């Protein structure tokens, strides 16, 4: 692999790794403080008693690990987008982070809010398919609206953002024995924690990139590598 390609890859991986660790650990801590108590309460209802619920150090470590891995993946996508645009600053990182939050957390939650164990309302496969479609459509719609210059492109972006909600979420009979208000508290708490995660991803990725990005954009780096 050419040296310039290795440098460009490193300029993406290091910011994504730093952001993944920072955002993953922050998310895991907030989850442990605010969301896990509600999850344990729901699991106790589902399993028939608190004595059947296990929450030890191993579960906490696995949660932190998966949070870091997920945040790293999102941060890598964000770093590639920032490098492609060529303008990297903490403000740009914040805006991209908020766009990621809107695409992968807020928009899907308008139809399918985060759920506790025992609160399933429709078939899992159908919910997952709608969630993925909504996230991708929202991300594409935001990109069209924010990056497009023509009115037609921006209008297409608005249509793509609205389309999943126009189609509607999978319906099903709501079966839940959870205390009243607990699912709503969990949904709002999950969205708040997700917002923190995306803000940390955006800002940390951009800040680290300003110190490691060797050239204004990936396209410029690639053209230099070919000369």
């Amino acid at each position: 692999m050419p040296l310039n390609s290795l440098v460009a890859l490193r300029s993406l991986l290091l910011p994504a790794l730093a952001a993944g660790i920072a955002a993953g650990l922050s998310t895991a801590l907030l989850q442990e403080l605010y969301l896990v108590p509600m999850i344990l309460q729901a699991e106790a209802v589902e399993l028939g008693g608190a004595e059947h619920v296990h929450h030890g150090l191993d579960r906490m470590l696995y949660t932190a690990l998966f949070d870091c891995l997920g945040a790293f993946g999102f941060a890598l996508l964000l770093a590639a987008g920032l490098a492609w645009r060529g303008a990297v600053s903490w403000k740009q990182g914040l805006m991209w982070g908020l766009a990621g939050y809107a695409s992968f957390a807020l928009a899907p939650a308008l139809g399918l809010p985060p759920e506790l164990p025992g609160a399933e309302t429709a078939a899992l496969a159908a919910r997952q398919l709608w969630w993925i479609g909504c996230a991708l459509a929202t991300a594409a719609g935001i990109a069209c609206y924010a990056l497009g210059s023509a009115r037609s492109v921006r209008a297409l972006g608005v249509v793509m953002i609205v389309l999943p909600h126009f189609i509607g979420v999978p319906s099903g009979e709501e079966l839940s024995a959870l205390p009243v208000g607990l699912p709503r508290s969990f949904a709002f708490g999950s969205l708040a924690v997700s917002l923190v995660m995306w803000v940390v991803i955006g800002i940390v990725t951009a800040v680290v990139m300003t110190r490691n990005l060797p050239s204004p954009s990936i396209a410029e780096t690639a053209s230099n590598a070919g000369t």
Side-chain angles (χ1 to χ4, degrees), residues 98-148:
L98 292 176
Y101 171 73
S103 301
F104 294 98
L106 185 59
L110 294 177
L112 290 175
E115 293 181 343
L116 285 163
E120 191 170 309
T121 57
L124 178 61
R127 290 186 296 127
Q128 289 178 332
L129 183 61
W130 185 90
W131 190 98
I132 294 172
C134 181
L136 294 178
T138 304
I142 291 176
C144 289
Y145 188 85
L147 305 179

Side-chain angles (χ1 to χ4, degrees), residues 49-68:
E51 66 274 7
H52 301 294
V53 178
H54 170 71
H55 183 70
L57 181 60
D58 55 341
R59 184 171 178 177
M60 295 171 57
L61 293 177
Y62 278 123
T63 299
L65 175 61
F66 284 114
D67 284 339
C68 289

Side-chain angles (χ1 to χ4, degrees), residues 201-213:
I201 286 176
I203 293 178
V204 173
T205 300
V207 169
V208 177
M209 282 186 72
T210 58
R211 303 179 182 180
N212 291 277
L213 196 63

Side-chain angles (χ1 to χ4, degrees), residues 59-209:
R59 184 171 178 177
M60 295 171 57
L61 293 177
Y62 278 123
T63 299
L65 175 61
F66 284 114
D67 284 339
C68 289
L69 290 176
F72 169 74
F74 286 130
L76 192 58
L77 291 175
L78 192 145
L82 285 172
W84 171 68
R85 289 292 291 173
V88 181
S89 68
W90 73 267
K91 292 182 180 180
Q92 290 287 331
L94 175 60
M95 295 304 297
W96 279 69
L98 292 176
Y101 171 73
S103 301
F104 294 98
L106 185 59
L110 294 177
L112 290 175
E115 293 181 343
L116 285 163
E120 191 170 309
T121 57
L124 178 61
R127 290 186 296 127
Q128 289 178 332
L129 183 61
W130 185 90
W131 190 98
I132 294 172
C134 181
L136 294 178
T138 304
I142 291 176
C144 289
Y145 188 85
L147 305 179
S149 55
R151 289 186 177 181
S152 59
V153 176
R154 292 191 171 186
L156 176 62
V158 174
V159 170
M160 295 182 71
I161 293 173
V162 174
L163 182 60
H165 306 281
F166 179 78
I167 294 174
V169 300
S171 59
E173 184 180 358
E174 184 174 354
L175 300 173
S176 177
L178 299 177
V180 177
L182 186 62
R184 176 174 295 184
S185 298
F186 179 77
F188 280 114
S190 297
L191 288 174
V193 171
S194 183
L195 176 60
V196 173
M197 182 192 75
W198 277 103
V199 168
V200 173
I201 286 176
I203 293 178
V204 173
T205 300
V207 169
V208 177
M209 282 186 72

